[in-house]
Amino acid sequence: MNVDPVDPVLQVRGLNFGWSGRPLFHDVSFELPPGVSLVRGDDGSGKSTLLALLAGALNPEAGTLAVQGIDSLAQHDAYRHRVFWVDPQTEAHDALAAGGYLESLSRHYPRFDNDTLQELLDGFGLRPHLGKPMYMLSTGSRRKVWLAAAFSAGTPLTLIDQPFAALDAPSTRFLRELLQDASTHPSRAWLLADHEAPQGVVLARTLEI
């Protein structure tokens, strides 16, 4: 029985990047298939920087990035619409109500799914917090807002930095179920940056840095 090869969602070729002349990545190349993958490394190894590069928030010194054939430099806006990423430490949305931020997603992500968002609001217990400004939310609640955004944006590539950080036990279980479902998706890819693999989630790839 022949199995058709699966086209990669993300292609990285010859990626170079460093801070203040200190090389961090040199000639890095890899592909991500559909499903859930992990970039694993110690603190300071560059996991978060790699996600920012893949998101198009930082420009590489050399190399190419493409999501479903869309090049990050040649077609920057189209590329950004195909990738979801948020810096979990960002203060850029602090003045917005949590609900207002989530409602804004449909303007940035063409495949945003409001029905999925409603399920995520229940799963993460976010409904009581939708009217609160982001700056008033606890670290755990802010993380839940970012996760609800990540799983409802509908992007081909979703990047999540330390997905389980600051979550309570029910939200941890719910997120694990989401990732288990994501691991079998035929055309979308999720890349997690963390110290260890999530329990019970079959990984498509593991990148060690």
Side-chain angles (χ1 to χ4, degrees), residues 45-106:
S45 62
K47 300 187 302 297
S48 297
T49 300
L50 179 60
L51 293 195
L53 285 162
L54 299 181
L58 293 173
N59 290 326
E61 296 166 0
T64 61
L65 311 171
V67 169
Q68 295 182 334
I70 303 297
D71 184 271
S72 65
L73 295 179
Q75 300 163 280
H76 183 71
D77 289 345
Y79 181 93
R80 292 292 296 268
H81 288 319
R82 285 167 170 77
V83 183
F84 180 89
W85 169 82
V86 63
D87 179 353
Q89 308 300 323
T90 186
E91 298 177 354
H93 309 292
D94 275 6
L96 289 175
Y101 165 72
L102 293 169
E103 289 172 4
S104 75
L105 296 174
S106 62

Side-chain angles (χ1 to χ4, degrees), residues 16-26 43-46 49 61:
N16 287 2
F17 185 82
W19 294 110
S20 302
R22 181 176 67 88
L24 184 60
F25 301 117
H26 176 68
D43 289 339
S45 62
T49 300
E61 296 166 0

Side-chain angles (χ1 to χ4, degrees), residues 134-204:
M134 291 293 294
Y135 73 84
M136 290 184 63
L137 298 184
S138 67
T139 300
S141 292
R142 287 168 65 92
R143 289 272 184 167
K144 294 174 191 179
V145 172
W146 306 143
L147 290 167
F151 281 92
S152 60
T155 50
L157 177 62
T158 299
L159 309 169
I160 308 179
D161 200 351
Q162 292 190 291
F164 293 94
L167 294 186
D168 52 38
S171 293
T172 295
R173 289 192 296 270
F174 181 61
L175 175 57
R176 191 171 289 122
E177 292 171 1
L178 292 173
L179 291 172
Q180 288 168 346
D181 289 342
S183 70
T184 62
H185 200 283
S187 61
R188 294 175 59 193
W190 287 257
L191 180 60
L192 316 179
D194 215 338
H195 304 287
E196 59 186 15
Q199 294 180 358
V201 178
V202 176
L203 296 177

